[in-house]
Amino acid sequence: MEGKTAAVQMRNITKRFGTVAANDKVWLDIYRGEILALLGENGSGKTTLMNMLSGIYYPDEGQIFVDGKEVSIRSPKDAFDLGIGMIHQHFKLVDVLTAAENIVLGLPGKGRLDLNRATEKIKAICEAYGFEVDAKKKIYDMSVSEKQTVEIVKVLYRGADILILDEPTAVLTPQETDKLFAVLRNMRDDGKSVVIITHKLHEVEELSDRVAVLRRGQFVGDMLTKDTTAADMTNMMVGRPVSLNIERPEPVNPEPRIVVRGLSCTDKDGIKVLDDISFTANSGEILGIAGISGCGQKELLEAIAGLNPVDQGSSIEYFAEGASKEIPLIGKSPKQIRDLGISLSFVPEDRLGMGLVGSMGMTGNMMLKNYSEGHSPLADRREPKKLAENVREKLEVVTPDVDTPVRQLSGGNVQKVLVGREIAAVPTVLMTAYAVRGLDINTSYTIYRLLNEQKKKGVCVIYVGEDLDVLLELCDRIMVLCSGKLNGIVDARTTTKEEVGLLMTNLVKEEK
């Protein structure tokens, strides 16, 4: 690129895990004073490539040059010495320490650390780039975006001028994302190199100067962001044209399936996480749930699934097709709900903690859903194995085989296994929490297609999502939660992003 100096040059970088080549002879340049978006489908090798630059992995082949000199990066410390810092998706902070203590933790220095001097330096970094950090605040008292800010300040404090951020906006609200982008632009203008790994193409268009694309571990090209479109980027990632339209069939004969009245939930600290929620979810319809993360979406789905206790006076009823009488669900466990003949499928937010068993393969995880149906003490593995193969093929799950432990798969592939299993259970109600979080665009559209197939079969689909553009395109109605309260239910075909955004932030209430 004319007029820019390459801070990093990666040449012929190859990294294998067993028989899988995560990166295959990759060439990549990273320039100073630039924000580079690194794009690719799940499992295309983006994070692996950046992990080699930040010292977590060491390449099997190839060379890395920093400022024109060949270097060997064998640890994160080597990377820091070269001015390279990576902010990972999962933060690496000590909860019981303050922001300042985390920032200086592990730095060389004799005697007691001078926290006052450190705090002054932290303040100077924050002022230079527009951060807000309370150096004395404990990590466990912080929001997700505050923790992320501490991670970024930590690498800047150590002198990094090449910053890598892996999925930095996955758990941020639109407002927090705007703040982060302003800071990243300030860093770029200060001559730093910023690399973001992301799946959100509208963010790429808004923030980056240049885009580099990986496909199946290989570098397929780069271009200036202003010279490309979302469709071009997607085609490069996938290797074929992909339609970026979400179908929205009209609901056919919608009937009430789940009726919720006066639902309230109180957590163990006595805080009301849901406050007097009432709504109806119909068959053959996708009901979207919008709201800033932590507004009660998770508790709502868990209450319907029989996983979360509810306050007295709450009512959740299930109406079976053609049945004369509703079935109350309150107080029933997931197994009792299943024993009543109700097929409720739930894709939770916590994929490995709540949805799947990490040490088991796809086959074992398929068995979890229906192990209690067999009466023999020896579980029959033939059907689950067939189902696992089917899900693997239909959703293009990248795994050496169906018995590889799912924790060894990339996040996107874990999600495909979970969604595939829940849909295979032939549900009448399908609830998903952040079904496409962290998924590449091609896989996301596969999941939207599957949800629409379920809708056409008359399934009642409840979809919790964070991308407002998708909620407006995919859903029939959108219910907006704000601080545990229901702020409104709107028609997704006629509402606007602004209207939903205002309902999410409580700004509409006063006007009524």
Side-chain angles (χ1 to χ4, degrees):
M1 241 171 87
E2 291 160 37
K4 297 261 185 189
T5 43
V8 175
Q9 295 161 299
M10 302 180 89
R11 297 290 177 263
N12 284 318
I13 297 291
T14 298
K15 181 72 184 170
R16 291 183 195 85
F17 295 102
T19 55
V20 179
N23 292 129
D24 183 12
K25 298 188 177 58
V26 173
W27 281 55
L28 181 70
D29 289 340
I30 300 168
Y31 295 100
R32 296 211 176 275
E34 171 191 77
I35 296 174
L36 172 71
L38 190 55
L39 291 179
E41 294 190 89
N42 293 106
S44 61
K46 309 177 297 288
T47 303
T48 303
L49 187 67
M50 290 299 108
N51 277 339
M52 284 187 275
L53 196 52
S54 62
I56 290 168
Y57 296 146
Y58 192 75
D60 298 333
E61 292 163 31
Q63 300 160 286
I64 298 176
F65 299 86
V66 175
D67 292 328
K69 286 201 289 284
E70 187 172 351
V71 295
S72 173
I73 305 174
R74 293 189 172 271
S75 70
K77 186 187 177 305
D78 288 351
F80 269 128
D81 292 345
L82 292 162
I84 301 166
M86 183 160 173
I87 292 95
H88 297 269
Q89 249 177 307
H90 304 290
F91 307 139
K92 294 166 170 48
L93 297 168
V94 181
D95 257 12
V96 294
L97 299 182
T98 63
E101 287 163 343
N102 268 282
I103 287 165
V104 299
L105 194 64
L107 281 173
K110 290 193 174 72
R112 209 167 141 264
L113 274 167
D114 185 347
L115 275 178
N116 288 339
R117 228 175 59 218
T119 304
E120 284 306 307
K121 188 173 165 187
I122 291 165
K123 209 168 137 193
I125 291 171
C126 290
E127 280 169 7
Y129 298 111
F131 285 115
E132 289 166 29
V133 169
D134 178 351
K136 295 185 172 70
K137 196 172 182 180
K138 299 266 198 222
I139 299 298
Y140 58 68
D141 283 332
M142 291 189 175
S143 70
V144 175
S145 80
E146 287 176 297
K147 288 178 190 173
Q148 186 184 58
T149 305
V150 173
E151 284 279 23
I152 297 172
V153 174
K154 192 166 90 178
V155 298
L156 291 172
Y157 191 95
R158 284 159 166 71
D161 53 13
I162 299 161
L163 283 95
I164 306 156
L165 296 99
D166 191 359
E167 296 284 350
T169 64
V171 286
L172 301 185
T173 66
Q175 294 84 345
E176 290 166 344
T177 297
D178 290 343
K179 262 194 198 157
L180 173 69
F181 285 3
V183 168
L184 295 180
R185 289 187 191 104
N186 289 342
M187 289 185 190
R188 171 196 61 197
D189 298 344
D190 192 36
K192 295 193 185 299
S193 309
V194 179
V195 182
I196 60 162
I197 301 173
T198 180
H199 289 306
K200 299 179 180 176
L201 293 185
H202 55 90
E203 290 184 356
V204 172
E205 292 175 311
E206 188 189 330
L207 179 70
S208 69
D209 302 300
R210 189 166 59 99
V211 178
V213 180
L214 293 183
R215 184 164 74 232
R216 298 201 178 126
Q218 294 181 323
F219 175 74
V220 289
D222 67 336
M223 55 265 172
L224 294 175
T225 310
K226 63 180 171 53
D227 298 339
T228 186
T229 64
D232 291 341
M233 291 189 257
T234 308
N235 296 352
M236 271 179 90
M237 282 195 281
V238 181
R240 61 174 190 274
V242 173
S243 161
L244 296 183
N245 289 326
I246 302 176
E247 172 195 19
R248 177 164 43 196
E250 285 291 331
V252 178
N253 303 331
E255 292 175 358
R257 228 2 116 248
I258 297 275
V259 177
V260 174
R261 293 189 190 94
L263 175 64
S264 295
C265 290
T266 307
D267 69 10
K268 55 182 187 304
D269 299 323
I271 295 163
K272 250 193 175 31
V273 284
L274 288 175
D275 188 359
D276 194 20
I277 304 277
S278 298
F279 67 95
T280 298
N282 298 318
S283 64
E285 145 185 286
I286 299 180
L287 173 66
I289 301 180
I292 291 164
S293 191
C295 277
Q297 303 93 317
K298 175 173 170 279
E299 290 81 3
L300 176 63
L301 297 196
E302 287 177 6
I304 297 171
L307 295 163
N308 203 19
V310 300
D311 297 355
Q312 215 167 353
S314 303
S315 159
I316 303 173
E317 292 172 333
Y318 174 82
F319 289 74
E321 192 176 356
S324 55
K325 211 162 163 292
E326 66 280 3
I327 302 169
L329 299 185
I330 299 262
K332 293 185 172 60
S333 69
K335 186 179 182 312
Q336 289 168 324
I337 291 173
R338 201 165 61 231
D339 291 346
L340 286 166
I342 301 170
S343 182
L344 239 171
S345 280
F346 180 30
V347 179
E349 189 177 352
D350 181 1
R351 298 163 191 185
L352 282 174
M354 209 170 150
L356 299 169
V357 176
S359 56
M360 288 163 76
M362 282 180 71
T363 306
N365 274 292
M366 296 296 156
M367 289 168 73
L368 290 178
K369 187 83 182 161
N370 55 13
Y371 72 95
S372 57
E373 287 165 21
H375 300 293
S376 122
L378 294 170
D380 177 9
R381 288 178 68 85
R382 278 171 314 199
E383 276 306 306
K385 186 151 190 158
K386 213 157 82 185
L387 180 55
E389 292 287 5
N390 189 5
V391 169
R392 179 188 181 185
E393 187 187 338
K394 192 169 180 189
L395 294 186
E396 298 173 1
V397 178
V398 180
T399 174
D401 67 60
V402 290
D403 292 318
T404 299
V406 293
R407 81 155 82 87
Q408 290 177 18
L409 309 186
S410 74
N413 285 305
V414 168
Q415 183 69 341
K416 291 181 193 178
V417 173
L418 188 50
V419 172
R421 182 189 74 189
E422 293 304 310
I423 286 177
V426 196
T428 51
V429 177
L430 172 63
M431 301 189 290
T432 68
Y434 307 109
V436 297
R437 182 181 278 171
L439 293 188
D440 59 71
I441 196 151
N442 192 30
T443 309
S444 300
Y445 277 78
T446 303
I447 301 243
Y448 304 145
R449 204 168 54 245
L450 287 172
L451 295 178
N452 270 319
E453 279 173 19
Q454 294 302 301
K455 169 183 163 177
K456 285 184 201 162
K457 288 178 182 168
V459 175
C460 162
V461 181
I462 300 177
Y463 177 89
V464 173
E466 56 200 340
D467 189 327
L468 284 188
D469 295 298
V470 170
L471 281 161
L472 291 173
E473 266 188 80
L474 175 71
C475 303
D476 297 293
R477 291 182 299 142
I478 299 171
M479 178 167 121
V480 186
L481 292 180
C482 182
S483 310
K485 289 187 164 67
L486 177 57
N487 256 10
I489 297 177
V490 293
D491 182 337
R493 287 171 174 77
T494 55
T495 189
T496 62
K497 200 169 161 178
E498 289 68 32
E499 185 186 7
V500 178
L502 288 172
L503 285 168
M504 280 167 70
T505 49
N506 235 348
L507 294 173
V508 147
K509 292 299 252 193
E510 289 74 38
E511 296 168 18
K512 286 182 179 169

